[in-house]
């Protein structure tokens, strides 16, 4: 029995070696570095682990159930022969990492293969392999790391179940008992140990990917820190040249190039003698990247360089975007097609997203500067510097890992700033535009304080065409967020209500914050209030404009109490047959 255990462990070493080689393949790394597999990746994973199971069968030992002697390798099976093997290792890992679909189907394929080999335990081992897929799937936990002791337990348990199935199905039962007594304990231990070793190999691959991702993130952050200053004024020749030099130095690339939609803005690295600034774009692959908005890969044949001696044999091209529109490309050149790897694809994808977001941030900053130059009147709400700074910081932190969220925040920030800027020249706006402004403002806070702030909207769509002074709602909302929720760490609820009433349109902002002291409420509608947390100027200005334009019946009403929240509302009365505004 001890000799059999040692031999089985040696065969497990073969499985582990094969696993080490196969997990170095690109498709494996791509497949298991994602949170969720698509259909093609699921099929690939099923075949991958079924193949592991089949290898485990062929690396087993032939056991004669009559003489209880075993041969060194599993070849053709006679009726009285069985196989002591490590087949369940692949199936167990399939279920633990891939879940029910991968585990069960890998078990079915490997089990069906074992059944075709026949022998004394052909049916029993085929059925047991399928059961192993089910057992391992029961221990699958999405997005949670599998512990080594769990792998050992499941591998050993699945093999123990196989021994029970052999006793239950193989006949004559005396030979089945004798076989289980001989191979049971060694196979249980060997497959438990093998499951741990294969899991360790796979974990090492994932750790390498995480480490590579961390290194890329560090490099990307360094690049972001250095390039932002150049991209604040948009994408032009000087900025593109500086960015290409920074990327080339940080990543030690063969060559880096940036184009706009028609010409090369910068090219740093090999081939710079003929890939020159202001030359027109000549390759169709670059045009395709601009037209489709998708990353493109190309070899020397598709690049079609005009210089026959060009050392650049491959390229990855990623589009650059600003406000959702393609404005150019970022290109990484390589000296070999072997460099067209998934790692490089992810790297250039991340860098192109980062540069795109930096361009949008630069645009937002330019809009902010224009807003300052326009000297928006004190009656109109200003963008709080800390709000802008914190929002941009949040966006920068999301650019690498969650570019879609970062882009969404940039769009909201851009809309918010544009609305503030346009308020400098507008006398009137609609409730619909005011609501969009509030939604953009609050969406930024919701992203930053995802577990803290909940916003509810109760809106009658039919009244959104009503006219209102610009920046009326946003200062009220800002007051609730900045002051009402100042000392609350969670469960902050803000309700924006716009409802049609018999007397007019009810517009209210309600929060469950700390409330406003009554003496402050009485003053806030008459004059700015001296306070450590603020002057109350925003609410005073809103109230003053409502009074001038709609009369006293439209003044702010404040329902509040200490630690009871605040409801600030006003009513726009109907004035049939009378124009309220003159623009």
């Amino acid at each position: 029995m001890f000799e059999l255990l040692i031999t089985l462990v040696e065969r497990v070493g073969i499985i582990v070696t094969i696993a080490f080689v196969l997990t170095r393949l690109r498709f494996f790394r791509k497949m298991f570095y994602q949170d969720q597999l698509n259909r093609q990746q699921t099929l690939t994973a099923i075949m991958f682990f079924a193949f592991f199971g089949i290898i485990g069968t062929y690396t087993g030992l032939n056991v004669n159930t009559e003489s209880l002697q075993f041969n060194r390798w599993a070849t053709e099976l006679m009726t009285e022969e069985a196989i002591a093997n490590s087949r369940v290792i692949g199936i167990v890992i399939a279920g633990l990492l891939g879940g029910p679909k991968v585990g069960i189907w890998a078990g079915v394929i490997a089990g069906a293969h074992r059944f075709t080999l026949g022998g004394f335990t052909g049916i029993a081992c085929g059925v047991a392999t399928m059961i192993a897929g089910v057992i391992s799937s029961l221990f699958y936990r999405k997005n949670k790391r599998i512990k080594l002791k769990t792998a050992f337990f499941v591998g050993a348990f699945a093999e123990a179940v196989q021994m029970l199935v052999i006793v239950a199905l193989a006949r004559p039962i005396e030979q089945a008992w004798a076989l289980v007594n001989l191979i049971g304990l060694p196979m249980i231990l060997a497959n438990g140990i093998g499951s741990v070793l294969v899991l360790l190999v796979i974990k090492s691959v994932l750790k390498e990917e995480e480490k590579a991702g961390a290194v890329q993130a560090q490099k990307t952050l360094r690049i972001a820190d250095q390039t932002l200053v150049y991209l604040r004024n948009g994408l032009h020749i000087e900025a593109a040249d500086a960015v290409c030099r920074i990327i080339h130095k940080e990543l030690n690339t063969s060559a880096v190039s940036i184009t706009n939609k028609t010409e090369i803005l910068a090219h740093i690295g090999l081939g710079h003698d003929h890939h020159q600034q202001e030359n027109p774009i000549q390759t169709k692959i670059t045009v395709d990247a601009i037209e489709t908005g998708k990353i493109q890969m190309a070899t020397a044949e598709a690049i079609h360089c005009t210089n026959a001696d060009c050392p650049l044999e491959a390229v990855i091209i990623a589009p650059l975007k600003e406000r959702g529109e393609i404005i150019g490309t970022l290109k990484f050149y390589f000296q070999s097609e072997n460099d067209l790897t998934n790692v490089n694809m992810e790297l250039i994808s991340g860098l192109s997203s980062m540069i795109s977001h930096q361009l949008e941030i630069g645009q937002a900053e330019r809009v902010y500067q224009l807003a300052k130059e326009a000297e928006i009147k004190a009656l109109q709400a200003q963008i709080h510097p800390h709000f802008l700074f914190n929002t941009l910081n949040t966006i920068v932190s999301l650019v690498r890992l969650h570019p879609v969220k970062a882009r969404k925040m940039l769009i909201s920030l851009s809309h918010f700033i544009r609305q503030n800027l346009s308020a400098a020249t507008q006398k009137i706006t609609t409730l619909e535009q005011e609501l969009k402004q509030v939604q953009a403002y609050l969406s930024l806070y919701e992203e930053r304080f995802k577990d803290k702030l909940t916003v509810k909207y109760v809106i009658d769509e039919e009244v959104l065409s009503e006219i209102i002074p610009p920046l009326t709602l946003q200062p009220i909302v800002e007051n609730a967020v900045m002051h009402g929720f100042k000392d609350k760490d969670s469960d902050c609820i803000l309700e924006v209500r716009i409802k049609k009433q018999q007397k007019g349109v009810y517009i209210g902002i309600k929060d469950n914050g700390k409330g406003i002291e009554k003496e402050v409420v009485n003053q806030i509608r008459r004059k700015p209030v001296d306070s450590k947390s603020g002057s109350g100027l925003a609410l005073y200005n809103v109230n003053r404009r409502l009074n001038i334009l709609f009369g006293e019946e439209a003044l702010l009403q404040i329902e509040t109490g200490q630690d009871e929240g605040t409801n600030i509302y006003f009513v726009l009365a109907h004035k049939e047959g009378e124009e309220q505004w003159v623009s």
Side-chain angles (χ1 to χ4, degrees):
M1 183 180 295
F2 181 74
E3 181 183 357
L4 177 60
L5 174 61
I6 296 300
T7 305
L8 286 174
V9 172
E10 289 176 353
R11 301 300 170 86
V12 167
I14 298 174
I15 300 293
V16 173
T17 302
I18 295 173
F20 178 83
V21 173
L22 293 179
T23 52
R24 262 53 194 170
L25 299 178
R26 188 192 306 176
F27 86 90
F28 180 89
R29 292 169 175 263
K30 183 178 180 180
M31 179 174 62
F32 284 95
Y33 198 58
Q34 296 184 178
D35 293 333
Q36 188 171 357
L37 304 180
N38 58 36
R39 179 178 296 180
Q40 182 179 354
Q41 290 169 331
T42 299
L43 291 174
T44 303
I46 290 171
M47 299 308 299
F48 182 89
F49 287 111
F51 174 68
F52 258 74
I54 293 171
I55 290 177
T57 298
Y58 282 122
T59 56
L61 304 171
N62 279 15
V63 180
N64 190 300
T65 59
E66 294 178 351
S67 64
L68 298 183
Q69 299 296 314
F70 55 86
N71 297 320
R72 301 296 293 179
W73 293 98
T75 54
E76 296 182 359
L77 294 181
M78 305 299 290
T79 305
E80 71 279 2
E81 290 183 325
I83 305 176
N85 59 80
S86 52
R87 179 174 51 256
V88 301
I89 292 175
I91 311 307
V92 165
I93 299 300
L96 291 178
L97 294 182
K101 287 183 180 179
V102 178
I104 293 174
W105 279 107
V108 169
I109 294 172
H113 170 266
R114 173 62 186 92
F115 175 76
T116 62
L117 296 180
F120 180 70
T121 60
I123 296 177
C125 289
V127 172
T129 303
M130 299 176 189
I131 295 175
V134 175
I135 291 173
S136 61
S137 298
L138 295 175
F139 290 85
Y140 170 71
R141 297 293 182 270
K142 186 177 181 180
N143 297 328
K144 290 188 178 180
R145 297 186 181 276
I146 305 299
K147 297 181 180 179
L148 296 180
K149 63 180 180 181
T150 301
F152 178 84
F153 169 77
V154 176
F157 180 67
E159 192 57 52
V161 170
Q162 180 166 262
M163 296 300 112
L164 294 176
V165 174
I166 290 174
V167 172
L169 299 182
R171 292 294 181 272
I173 194 170
E174 293 80 8
Q175 288 181 226
W177 272 113
L179 177 65
V180 170
N181 286 333
L182 175 66
I183 69 173
L185 184 59
M187 285 186 64
I188 290 171
L189 292 175
N191 281 281
I193 294 171
S195 298
V196 170
L197 294 177
V198 172
L199 183 63
L200 278 173
V201 170
I202 294 174
K203 279 178 173 284
S204 70
V205 172
L206 300 182
K207 285 182 179 179
E208 287 177 10
E209 290 288 341
E210 291 174 356
K211 184 178 180 180
V215 172
Q216 286 187 13
Q218 290 178 344
K219 290 181 177 180
T220 302
L221 288 174
R222 285 203 303 269
I223 292 171
D225 183 57
Q226 297 175 61
T227 57
L228 182 58
V229 65
Y230 297 103
L231 295 173
R232 282 177 175 168
N233 295 319
L235 190 62
H236 48 81
I237 289 179
E238 292 76 13
D241 184 78
V243 170
C244 284
R245 291 184 185 280
I246 291 169
I247 294 176
H248 183 63
K249 178 181 178 181
E250 286 288 340
L251 301 180
N252 195 28
T253 59
S254 297
V256 180
S257 180
I258 291 179
T259 75
N260 58 22
K261 296 175 71 173
T262 58
E263 63 184 15
I264 300 171
L265 296 180
H267 182 98
I268 303 299
L270 298 177
H272 65 87
D273 56 328
H274 56 280
H275 291 273
Q276 296 180 346
Q277 289 179 351
E278 300 185 78
N279 282 355
I281 294 174
Q282 298 178 356
T283 60
K284 185 178 183 302
I285 195 72
T286 304
V287 175
D288 289 343
I290 293 172
E291 290 181 349
T292 64
K294 296 180 180 180
I295 294 180
Q296 306 287 331
M297 290 193 303
T299 58
E301 292 78 11
I303 294 175
H304 298 301
C305 184
T306 55
N307 190 317
D309 297 324
C310 182
L312 304 173
E313 295 291 327
V315 66
I316 299 177
I317 306 172
L320 297 176
K321 301 180 181 180
E322 188 172 345
R323 296 178 60 188
E325 295 184 3
I326 307 297
I327 61 170
T329 64
L330 172 65
K331 306 167 74 171
F332 273 29
Y333 287 96
F334 305 98
Q335 290 183 278
S336 171
E337 296 180 19
N338 295 329
D339 291 319
L340 298 178
T341 64
N342 184 57
V343 172
N344 284 329
M345 281 281 288
E346 290 185 359
L347 176 60
I348 192 172
S349 176
L351 284 174
S352 65
S353 295
M354 180 204 74
I355 292 173
S356 297
H357 291 309
Q358 284 184 324
L359 290 169
E360 294 195 17
I361 290 172
Q363 184 189 49
E365 289 182 345
R366 292 194 299 275
V367 172
Y368 181 60
Q369 290 301 321
L370 289 173
K372 289 178 63 179
E373 292 171 7
E375 295 183 355
I376 297 178
K377 298 176 183 180
L379 290 178
Q380 297 171 322
Q382 300 287 326
I383 300 174
H384 198 289
H386 291 297
F387 164 74
L388 182 64
F389 178 77
N390 292 334
T391 301
L392 291 176
N393 269 351
T394 302
I395 292 170
V396 170
S397 70
L398 289 172
V399 162
R400 174 64 181 89
L401 297 178
H402 302 287
V404 175
K405 291 183 180 179
R407 183 177 182 276
K408 182 179 178 182
M409 287 191 69
L410 276 170
I411 292 173
S412 296
L413 179 62
S414 177
H415 176 83
F416 175 73
I417 294 176
R418 283 199 306 272
Q419 190 77 358
N420 276 63
L421 185 62
S422 64
T425 56
Q426 289 181 343
K427 294 181 179 180
I428 63 170
T429 187
T430 63
L431 274 175
E432 182 178 13
Q433 290 300 317
E434 279 290 285
L435 180 60
K436 287 181 179 179
Q437 171 74 345
V438 167
Q439 289 172 331
Y441 176 81
L442 289 175
S443 68
L444 296 171
Y445 268 98
E446 283 183 293
E447 190 59 45
R448 286 178 54 205
F449 306 108
K450 188 165 295 184
D451 298 324
K452 176 181 178 180
L453 178 62
T454 301
V455 182
K456 299 179 180 179
Y457 296 94
V458 182
I459 309 295
D460 279 346
E461 301 285 342
E462 62 184 292
V463 301
L464 293 182
S465 60
E466 292 285 333
I467 54 178
I468 194 173
L471 296 172
T472 296
L473 300 186
Q474 190 267 330
I476 304 176
V477 170
E478 183 175 3
N479 182 76
V481 173
M482 299 296 294
H483 303 296
F485 297 145
K486 183 177 181 181
D487 299 319
K488 285 179 70 72
D489 295 324
S490 61
D491 300 323
C492 297
I493 300 174
L494 185 71
E495 182 182 280
V496 179
R497 182 180 291 266
I498 301 176
K499 299 291 290 183
K500 182 178 181 181
Q501 294 183 340
Q502 186 175 1
K503 295 182 178 180
V505 180
Y506 174 95
I507 302 165
I509 310 296
K510 184 178 181 181
D511 67 73
N512 65 340
K514 64 180 182 179
I516 306 174
E517 297 177 0
K518 290 186 178 180
E519 54 267 32
V520 175
V521 171
N522 294 329
Q523 297 179 48
I524 208 166
R525 289 177 294 188
R526 300 195 306 268
K527 62 180 181 179
V529 179
D530 292 327
S531 169
K532 294 181 180 179
S533 60
S535 65
L537 178 62
L539 293 183
Y540 169 75
N541 285 336
V542 169
N543 206 42
R544 183 182 173 190
R545 280 185 288 158
L546 289 173
N547 185 27
I548 293 172
L549 298 170
F550 292 100
E552 292 189 357
E553 63 267 29
L555 290 177
L556 293 179
Q557 305 298 315
I558 303 176
E559 298 175 347
T560 186
Q562 195 69 28
D563 299 321
E564 295 178 3
T566 302
N567 181 29
I568 300 179
Y569 68 93
F570 59 97
V571 178
L572 299 180
H574 290 308
K575 295 184 179 180
E576 296 182 4
E578 180 180 343
E579 290 186 5
Q580 301 175 40
W581 294 88
V582 179
S583 59

